[in-house]
Amino acid sequence: MTKADDKALNYIDFLIMMLTEVIQHRNRKAIALAVWLWLAPFITQAQEIIPLYSAAVPNSKASDVQESGAESGVLKGITKPTLEFFRPAAGKASGTAVIIIPGGGYGVVVYKGEGVNTAKAMAEQGVAAFVLKYRLPSDAIMTDKKIGPLQDAQQAIKLVRENAAKWGIDANKVGIMGFSAGGHLASTAATHFDNAYIDNGNSTSLRPDFQILIYPVISMQDSLAHGGSRGNLLGKTPSRQDIELFSNELQVRANTPPTYLTHAADDKLVDVDNSIVYFEKLRRQKVPVEMHIYPKGDHGFIFRHPGWMDPLFAWMKANNWIKN
């Protein structure tokens, strides 16, 4: 008998004991506890923290940088990237997975507000959701800070695909989702997948099957770029070559993944033209793309528009990413 079997039997024995207490003494507290214990295995989402790299983290160098922000849910100083896995209930699972990349201007990671909360909502819809805790570009911890976040995004796609069978995922239904600067990272992964910035000995596809971009930074060009994101990723005086390479509207091709975009027209931090220009480039390449623009909401509107995911879920249903 396995340890899991022992644990299950012990759990059943405890339930029987509690139900006996209910029957014999009609103890209200016992009744409530017994009901909760009976339901808990069915309503609790299993969560798992998965190290992104099993060996040394690529493009890293020794430093004394320490991760902080766990209490607030806004992280910085990340040196050990991870995926946090939110499993959908077995009866709801669609086989689709999404890797969620929170934003923060490449200076912090809004891990809880944009990451964990979104992952829980996705899992409720039957999507296996993975929140990426990625390294922020920093000369203190990286040899080349420009590619560090992209390496983590590519590794996340590779890890999910290579473990698809174990995690109950269809390897051909692995998407990526990003907010703000996390949207830049997601769109970078969706437009730079032909070049592997990580070890990929199995030649696993690094192309996301779809991309979902929420008030995203897309461009690094002067007319559109969010200055803080560009400075943190490319430095204060980036080369023209780097600006163009990481301006993802310039990297769209016919095989860029199907896309969902949403933004607020009055966004004062990341100009809505980032989404509009990207939409136009995708449309001209005949890449399936849908865009929703709110007239008001400013940056981070998800915290002020509780129904913002409804049209997203409709798009996912229409494209068979989630069940109807």
Side-chain angles (χ1 to χ4, degrees):
M1 185 175 292
T2 67
K3 289 183 179 179
D5 292 331
D6 285 338
K7 186 175 179 181
L9 286 174
N10 289 337
Y11 183 76
I12 292 168
D13 287 342
F14 184 65
L15 279 175
I16 291 170
M17 181 186 72
M18 293 304 302
L19 290 170
T20 301
E21 174 72 10
V22 170
I23 294 167
Q24 291 179 348
H25 303 290
R26 299 183 180 225
N27 185 310
R28 289 184 180 178
K29 289 184 178 179
I31 293 171
L33 182 57
V35 171
W36 184 88
L37 287 168
W38 185 260
L39 291 174
F42 305 101
I43 63 175
T44 302
Q45 291 177 325
Q47 297 175 36
E48 182 180 357
I49 303 293
I50 304 160
L52 206 56
Y53 301 96
S54 57
V57 178
N59 185 33
S60 63
K61 57 187 183 184
S63 75
D64 58 0
V65 172
Q66 298 292 317
E67 184 176 322
S68 63
E71 300 81 7
S72 66
V74 178
L75 309 180
K76 59 182 178 179
I78 298 160
T79 58
K80 296 178 180 178
T82 62
L83 286 173
E84 185 170 2
F85 183 15
F86 291 79
R87 299 175 186 265
K92 287 186 175 181
S94 63
T96 297
V98 64
I99 296 158
I100 299 168
I101 307 180
Y106 282 126
V108 297
V109 175
V110 187
Y111 189 83
K112 182 178 179 182
E114 292 177 339
V116 171
N117 291 343
T118 304
K120 290 179 178 178
M122 282 287 180
E124 282 294 317
Q125 294 291 323
V127 177
F130 297 82
V131 184
L132 177 61
K133 183 171 76 173
Y134 58 100
R135 291 172 294 162
L136 295 161
S138 168
D139 293 324
I141 65 170
M142 296 172 181
T143 304
D144 182 355
K145 72 176 185 177
K146 298 188 300 295
I147 64 169
L150 178 56
Q151 288 176 308
D152 292 351
Q154 288 191 337
Q155 179 69 14
I157 295 167
K158 176 175 177 280
L159 192 63
V160 171
R161 277 229 167 88
E162 291 183 348
N163 288 278
K166 180 174 77 173
W167 291 332
I169 293 165
D170 184 335
N172 296 312
K173 290 185 174 184
V174 178
I176 200 161
M177 178 179 191
F179 297 77
S180 194
H184 181 266
L185 180 51
S187 62
T188 305
T191 53
H192 292 67
F193 52 82
D194 284 334
N195 296 318
Y197 291 84
I198 55 169
D199 179 27
N200 190 21
N202 295 329
S203 297
T204 300
S205 172
L206 301 179
R207 176 187 179 272
D209 292 300
F210 58 89
Q211 56 176 328
I212 300 167
L213 307 179
I214 316 300
Y215 40 82
V217 177
I218 294 292
S219 185
M220 290 289 146
Q221 299 192 78
D222 292 344
S223 59
L224 286 177
H226 173 243
S229 297
R230 186 172 86 166
N232 286 330
L233 183 66
L234 303 182
K236 292 182 179 179
T237 56
S239 68
R240 173 51 53 185
Q241 181 180 5
D242 285 340
I243 288 172
E244 292 182 357
L245 180 63
F246 289 97
S247 290
N248 294 326
E249 78 277 14
L250 302 181
Q251 309 306 323
V252 172
R253 303 292 183 266
N255 62 350
T256 300
T259 305
Y260 179 93
L261 290 156
T262 187
H263 219 122
D266 66 345
D267 193 323
K268 292 183 281 295
L269 192 64
V270 176
D271 196 307
V272 68
D273 280 347
N274 278 267
S275 286
I276 292 170
V277 167
Y278 199 54
F279 174 91
E280 284 298 318
K281 294 288 187 178
L282 292 162
R283 184 178 67 85
R284 288 170 187 166
Q285 288 287 346
K286 296 183 170 33
V287 174
V289 55
E290 184 167 324
M291 181 167 62
H292 291 257
I293 298 180
Y294 291 92
K296 294 186 180 300
D298 207 345
H299 201 65
F301 66 77
I302 66 166
F303 301 106
R304 295 178 288 280
H305 284 301
W308 74 271
M309 296 188 83
D310 293 343
L312 168 58
F313 292 146
W315 176 81
M316 295 183 77
K317 287 178 181 177
N319 287 278
N320 297 316
W321 305 121
I322 59 180
K323 296 178 180 178
N324 283 296

